[in-house]
Amino acid sequence: MDAARLQEFLTAVEPERGPSVISAEPIPGGYSRDTVIAEVRWADGRTEKLVLRGDPAIEESVFRSDRDREWILLNALADVPTFRIPRPRYYDATGEYFGTKCIVSEAIPTSSMQAFLESGPDLDQARRDFIGIVASIHTTPVDLISGTVEQPPSWDEHIDRIMGIYDRIIEKAHGNGDSDPVLRYVRRKMRANRPPAVPLGLVHGDAQPGNFLLPSGEDPVIIDWEFGHIGDPRQDLGYYLQIPMPPHLYHPDPEGFLAIYRELTGYSEEQVNPQVVRYFMLLGMVHLLEQMIDAAEAIARGEHRGVLGPYLLGSITHFRNLFLGICLTLPYSPRSADPEVAR
Amino acid sequence: MNIRPTTPQLLRDLADELNREIMPLLDDSTDQIRLHMITAVLGQCAVRAGSEIALMTLETAAYRDYADAVADATGRDDLRPAESVPPLAARLHLDAVVAEYARASDSFGSALEIAMDAGLGDLVTRGEELLHTRIANEQLMAGVATAGR
């Protein structure tokens, strides 16, 4: 994804506007997708900044997601009334121009909420703002996007599908001559402690301050939808628990955080409380854990996954440790159920 | 065998060389991050090379004992891992240790599930302690401190 390829692409998709690419620079960081920021001058003299997101080479990547699904989701979300996203502009769906499937979106010239949090703001207000953005995702009417975005048949089937990832990880390990008693234990505890259902809703999949942009004087803009889907919105809450970048907006006061969230979303305390949110870390992270474990297995087979594959071995331990810690507090059978713990 | 330096010492020396001599030559921040990751992994490999056979052997024995205890409590003799006693030299090769560890882990995982299903509280607690030990050993190998939240 460089200036020459972008020039060729824009010339093909916008021949009437006379595009001229001024610059195209990679944005470093980010574990999953290759990202480039570009500036274009059109024939009428106006300039515009664009962001390009494409898949890294397969042998250099750990995390996988589907650009076709992301493009459909972005277009479904472009005009929802609850929040803003960078407007999706173009899609090289075959990789014909960029050498990889590539989504081109409007660039938002501003910094993220994470940068704002690191500047020492009033954290009570920042927490309320963060929860407000998360709630704006979760209260998006599903019928606005379900015409094009895949919707699970039911909440139960959705949860079964995620729990099926545990089955898949355990079976793959077994097939490779390995066995993970930690994840077997986690799976058993999860099945014995299914949380109460909520209506299906929009899930961001990587809801964290780094993906919320704060343009001055404008509404926030939510980026990075590669893992977005219709599912159980509490997956985003569980996912946020493990975000390591300080200052964390949940851990200092989980009850206070969730009281605001319930107020904004209408969920009940039975549906959203600290115990349930911890459970949803088990559901909100497992898709990424599977990809890290798959990468480790690929290395064991002699395939290359870039330096990220070996580097993330420690993360596999880290997440299994978090999962184990959550499940140790859950009852393992009806006869051992402690109402204070089960809640 | 050349035993000085040991494998961990060699790996640490190479990681130091990369950090000290190569890192300053890199201008690109992406390349710097990649090299940092590489030296971190080399450091983890140094720790693993020094301890992984010993730790897996200890865990394997604990998993076998646990599976036997659950088999004793439930009458499920199928939980007892098959004993394989190859010659000492073959037994100490990493591939053999890993294979034995995987077999014992599988027996342990099954035994713990059965203990949970049967409501054998003491054995469940003992199994949970073994899971803790397993993770603690992994953390030691990875050089990460993940106390959890």
Side-chain angles (χ1 to χ4, degrees), chain A residues 6-28:
Chain A
L6 178 61
Q7 180 67 56
E8 189 182 353
F9 176 72
L10 290 177
T11 301
V13 296
E14 294 276 23
E16 308 298 322
R17 296 186 66 193
S20 176
V21 176
I22 301 169
S23 64
E25 297 294 333
I27 302 174

Side-chain angles (χ1 to χ4, degrees), chain A:
Chain A
M1 299 190 299
D2 55 23
R5 285 174 182 266
L6 178 61
Q7 180 67 56
E8 189 182 353
F9 176 72
L10 290 177
T11 301
V13 296
E14 294 276 23
E16 308 298 322
R17 296 186 66 193
S20 176
V21 176
I22 301 169
S23 64
E25 297 294 333
I27 302 174
Y31 279 170
S32 53
R33 307 275 70 80
D34 287 344
T35 309
V36 166
I37 184 148
E39 186 167 17
V40 179
R41 178 175 293 112
W42 302 102
D44 62 7
R46 286 187 299 167
T47 60
E48 181 176 11
K49 287 194 171 176
L50 300 168
V51 169
L52 286 62
R53 272 165 59 83
D55 294 325
I58 197 91
E59 66 277 12
E60 290 287 335
S61 67
V62 170
F63 298 113
R64 308 282 164 78
S65 59
D66 186 334
R67 294 286 70 69
D68 294 346
R69 280 185 65 244
E70 183 180 357
W71 176 247
I72 290 169
L73 179 63
L74 291 176
N75 282 280
L77 298 178
D79 294 309
V80 295
T82 39
F83 58 82
R84 282 178 65 200
I85 66 168
R87 185 156 287 278
R89 298 291 300 276
Y90 314 104
Y91 183 36
D92 179 2
T94 62
E96 175 187 356
Y97 292 94
F98 293 103
T100 177
K101 291 182 179 182
C102 179
I103 292 173
V104 182
S105 300
E106 163 196 21
I108 307 292
T110 187
S111 55
S112 73
M113 186 175 212
Q114 182 61 40
F116 173 69
L117 290 174
E118 290 166 3
S119 70
D122 172 355
L123 285 182
D124 284 341
Q125 183 58 48
R127 179 176 64 168
R128 182 169 278 278
D129 292 343
F130 174 75
I131 299 167
I133 297 171
V134 173
S136 74
I137 299 170
H138 295 169
T139 54
T140 299
V142 168
D143 57 4
L144 291 181
I145 60 174
S146 58
T148 51
V149 177
E150 184 187 355
Q151 181 170 357
S154 68
W155 181 85
D156 276 311
E157 287 184 56
H158 174 62
I159 299 300
D160 286 343
R161 188 186 60 77
I162 302 176
M163 286 193 181
I165 299 176
Y166 283 90
D167 295 333
R168 213 159 56 213
I169 293 173
I170 290 164
E171 284 162 15
K172 280 189 284 194
H174 198 259
N176 294 325
D178 195 359
S179 183
D180 186 347
V182 173
L183 289 183
R184 288 176 68 173
Y185 173 85
V186 167
R187 176 178 65 174
R188 181 59 61 107
K189 282 290 193 77
M190 289 177 72
R191 286 191 173 145
N193 295 277
R194 207 171 173 95
V198 299
L200 292 170
L202 179 61
V203 179
H204 181 276
D206 189 6
Q208 55 167 309
N211 283 329
F212 300 163
L213 305 183
L214 304 177
S216 180
E218 298 178 27
D219 289 337
V221 178
I222 305 172
I223 62 170
D224 202 353
W225 288 89
E226 67 175 302
F227 294 111
H229 63 279
I230 296 175
D232 188 318
R234 294 171 296 183
Q235 291 168 245
D236 279 338
L237 300 180
Y239 177 86
Y240 179 59
L241 297 195
Q242 56 78 41
I243 292 295
M245 279 82 79
H248 207 281
L249 299 170
Y250 178 90
H251 295 304
D253 181 10
E255 294 283 2
F257 183 107
L258 294 180
I260 298 170
Y261 179 76
R262 287 193 298 266
E263 178 189 322
L264 295 176
T265 58
Y267 290 128
S268 70
E269 191 163 359
E270 184 198 12
Q271 291 169 324
V272 174
N273 61 62
Q275 190 71 26
V276 165
V277 170
R278 279 163 60 83
Y279 186 98
F280 271 89
M281 190 208 288
L282 306 170
L283 297 175
M285 269 305 299
V286 68
H287 62 297
L288 297 180
L289 178 66
E290 180 185 35
Q291 296 198 7
M292 288 188 267
I293 292 174
D294 284 348
E297 176 53 33
I299 296 165
R301 288 195 304 266
E303 298 169 16
H304 188 55
R305 284 292 180 272
V307 66
L308 201 53
Y311 186 74
L312 287 176
L313 287 176
S315 297
I316 294 172
T317 294
H318 173 69
F319 285 115
R320 285 163 56 256
N321 182 46
L322 291 179
F323 290 7
L324 177 61
I326 292 167
C327 288
L328 285 169
T329 68
L330 298 174
Y332 55 82
S333 67
R335 82 183 70 174
S336 71
D338 173 348
E340 284 302 308
V341 172
R343 198 170 166 185

